[in-house]
Structure formats: structure tokens, C-alpha cells
Amino acid sequence: MAKSAIRVGVGGWTYEPWRNNFYPEGWPQSRELEYASRQLSAIEINGTYYSTQKPASFAKWRDETPDGFVFSMKASRYATNRKVLAEAGESVQRFVGSGISELGPKLGPIVWQFMPTKRFDAQDFGAFLALLPAEVDGLALRHVMDVRHESFKTPEYLDLARRHRVATVFTDSDDYPSFADITADFVYARLMRTESQLKTGYGPKALDQWAVHAKQWAAGGDPPELPHVGEPLAAKKPRDVFMYFISGAKERAPAAAMALIERLR
């Protein structure tokens, strides 16, 4: 992209409670992606973590969404849920070659999610990062590490991620390691504190603050008030930002995303 963009969305688009508070009454389930993609600017696909999707499915999703919309997606669990990550090459290639390139310019970052029990091993993790391809069918790929063990909160991990130019998920949660150190030329945040009693999931002040953070990230900044392992980076060139309201009170996620989008306008 020629300039930075802030994209905000949710995980998936098929969720029964959303038919009461997000989708219009009587809206056809077959057209839920069509509707969601016109209220949000990105969606994180979760189904790709559990099973291989067909190229035709990616093409269908591409055609149902407007220009400028982006899909992030979780990579196959068969690549990340293993004792020796260095042996994941075949699974990595199978996933990357499964048809994701059908999304074309709507292909966003690929999220490699690790088990909460997976500890940081510099040699093995470095070998895994070396397996991640830079492109598929002429499309540049952007990779994100969703690390969920406290052992990753170390300068050694940050150095390794930066060397391979992969982003690290910043998680707004007490359930997973939460550190905002920037390790790539884009930022990927998962906001997991939505509350059911709040109509917009997050309160107004919290949404205002996340809008500030999003703009800081997009402008090349590194908000020092967020938790870090190392020192916040000095301001750099503008970068793309991806923010998803995930988990927590999931029924409030679309409202939270739309409220944040409104603040960013």
C-alpha cells in the first residue's frame, strides 16, 4: 500500500448472536459476509486454523467484499501445534499453497498461533521463521506471530522476530502475554476485553484511547504507555495497522469495531 491504513474488524462473520444485534432482522445468512464487510474494514478468518479451505471459497469471499476490504487469517494449526517447529515445512507450504492467493489484494496478514504451553526456543523458533515464504503467486505475504507463553517476553525473541520481519500480536488481555513491542513494518492487535453490559463492548474512554493508539501506530509511533519488553521504538515511517475485537463478550465485537471505526474517521 502506498500509505498507511488502519483496518478494524472482528473474528469471522458467522455467529448466531450477531443475528440479534448486528445483522438486520431477517438478513439472509448466505449474505452475512456481504453485510459485515460493508460495516467493517477487515475480518480475521478463524476456520483456516482448523481445516483447509478450498481455492473457490477464497475466491467467493473476495468477490463478496468491497474494494479495500482485507482478510487476515489464522494459519493451519498443523504447522504450529508441534513439538519441533523446524519440522513444519510441509505444513507451512500446504497452507500457503491452499488457495489463499485467490484473495488477491484482499489478502492480509497470516497469523501463526501457538499453544499457550509452547515455550520460546530461539534455535527452533528461528528455524520455523526461516520456513515462512515471502510471497505466493506473486503476492507479498505478511506474517504475524501469536505467541502465548510468557517465555516469549524476552529481548532474544524480539531480535529474532525483527530479523525475520514478522509482526507480533499485541493482545489486550490478562489471559495471554501482553506486550506491544513492534517487530515488523505493520501492527497487529487483538482486543479481547469486550464486556456484555456495555453496548459497544468497550467503554467510550477506552475506545477513545484505542483510537489514539491506532493513530500513533499508523503514524510510525510506538505508544510508551502500553506494556513493552524493551524500550519503545523511536518514531519511524507510517505503517499499516490491523485491530480486531476478538473473544471477550463476542456478541459486542461488531459494535466495538464500528465504534472505533467511527472515532478514526
Side-chain angles (χ1 to χ4, degrees):
M1 302 171 196
K3 62 180 181 178
S4 67
I6 303 173
R7 290 192 170 85
V8 182
V10 299
W13 59 87
T14 303
Y15 184 56
E16 194 278 331
W18 291 348
R19 292 165 191 150
N20 294 328
N21 66 4
F22 176 42
Y23 296 116
E25 184 177 355
W27 188 264
Q29 293 183 30
S30 62
R31 295 177 59 197
E32 287 178 343
L33 175 58
E34 174 192 330
Y35 181 85
S37 63
R38 284 156 177 80
Q39 317 307 313
L40 314 171
S41 48
I43 279 177
E44 183 185 272
I45 303 172
N46 193 45
T48 45
Y49 177 76
Y50 296 101
S51 61
T52 302
Q53 305 296 313
K54 296 179 180 179
S57 295
F58 293 112
K60 181 174 181 288
W61 299 337
R62 177 198 66 214
D63 293 343
E64 289 180 355
T65 52
D67 291 345
F69 190 80
V70 168
F71 291 96
S72 302
M73 70 181 73
K74 288 187 182 179
S76 169
R77 57 181 171 165
Y78 296 107
T80 55
N81 293 359
R82 55 176 64 230
K83 185 175 182 180
V84 181
L85 292 172
E87 298 174 355
E90 183 180 347
S91 294
V92 169
Q93 289 300 324
R94 186 181 303 118
F95 171 76
V96 171
S98 65
I100 64 175
S101 62
E102 290 289 337
L103 289 173
K106 296 177 182 178
L107 174 61
I110 297 172
V111 182
W112 302 84
Q113 178 183 300
F114 298 88
M115 296 287 286
T117 54
K118 188 63 176 177
R119 301 180 64 90
F120 175 58
D121 177 318
Q123 183 174 352
D124 190 39
F125 206 78
F128 174 80
L129 293 181
L131 297 172
L132 303 182
E135 60 91 27
V136 59
D137 297 334
L139 288 173
L141 296 179
R142 291 185 279 189
H143 301 287
V144 189
M145 302 300 108
D146 187 7
V147 294
R148 300 186 167 200
H149 192 277
E150 291 288 331
S151 60
F152 282 87
K153 295 173 70 172
T154 170
E156 288 76 17
Y157 165 71
L158 298 180
D159 290 343
L160 188 60
R162 286 167 179 158
R163 191 158 66 246
H164 287 270
R165 300 178 181 178
V166 298
T168 303
V169 172
F170 168 68
T171 306
D172 181 35
S173 170
D174 293 326
D175 298 327
Y176 302 105
S178 181
F179 56 110
D181 301 79
I182 295 169
T183 57
D185 61 358
F186 66 99
V187 170
Y188 200 100
R190 303 176 94 234
L191 309 182
M192 305 176 73
R193 298 184 191 272
T194 47
E195 300 179 39
S196 58
Q197 71 271 23
L198 299 176
K199 187 176 181 180
T200 54
Y202 277 66
K205 289 184 179 179
L207 288 167
D208 289 345
Q209 190 60 60
W210 282 115
V212 170
H213 292 330
K215 292 176 181 177
Q216 288 175 315
W217 279 326
D222 187 358
E225 59 270 29
L226 293 177
H228 285 69
V229 173
E231 289 296 318
L233 300 178
K236 295 189 176 182
K237 63 182 180 180
R239 59 172 78 92
D240 289 343
V241 178
F242 300 85
M243 303 178 74
Y244 293 94
F245 289 89
I246 303 282
S247 298
K250 186 176 178 179
E251 70 275 13
R252 298 299 190 192
M258 289 189 292
L260 182 56
I261 289 170
E262 185 62 33
R263 282 164 168 78
L264 293 169
R265 287 195 171 118

